[in-house]
Amino acid sequence: MKFINEHWMQIAVSILLLVAVASWPYGFYQILRWVVAISAGIFAYEAFNSEKNMWGWIFITILILFNPILPIHLEKETWQTLNVLVAIVYAISIKSISIVKSN
């Protein structure tokens, strides 16, 4: 019996991105950058391994956009829009990318 949905990471990141539309302390957004960047890297890797190159490039773009090492600075309203759009991308990717291999 599965206790955790195999797509928990995509769902969790989507929720975090949607929650980020509200006002939070700056530390929340720093952590969000790390979470999104790391998960985007994982999904890009999985997408390229599954020969789903379009998804790979989409997640590489997300990784670059949310990169916490050399952050891109945008207006708050722009980030809010991007957060919603990227949350939608993560939600849509549930049907295409899985980090759990089926037997």
Side-chain angles (χ1 to χ4, degrees):
M1 180 175 183
K2 280 188 181 179
F3 290 103
I4 297 178
N5 184 307
E6 65 185 41
H7 302 292
W8 67 270
M9 192 182 307
Q10 287 137 305
I11 294 167
V13 175
S14 292
I15 291 169
L16 280 174
L17 285 162
L18 292 174
V19 167
V21 173
S23 290
W24 294 93
Y26 184 66
F28 173 82
Y29 297 104
Q30 291 176 312
I31 292 169
L32 180 69
R33 278 185 179 268
W34 282 100
V35 169
V36 174
I38 290 169
S39 64
I42 291 168
F43 292 126
Y45 174 81
E46 290 296 330
F48 286 125
N49 271 350
S50 302
E51 298 182 8
K52 297 178 180 177
N53 294 335
M54 180 192 75
W55 280 109
W57 288 112
I58 289 170
F59 280 105
I60 290 291
T61 303
I62 292 169
L63 171 67
I64 292 167
L65 183 63
F66 282 83
N67 147 40
I69 307 297
L70 298 169
I72 296 173
H73 299 285
L74 301 170
E75 297 292 323
K76 181 177 181 174
E77 294 78 20
T78 304
W79 276 116
Q80 289 175 327
T81 302
L82 286 172
N83 288 342
V84 172
L85 293 174
V86 172
I88 292 168
V89 168
Y90 270 84
I92 292 170
S93 76
I94 289 172
K95 292 289 186 187
S96 299
I97 303 169
S98 176
I99 60 172
V100 177
K101 304 296 182 204
S102 58
N103 295 328

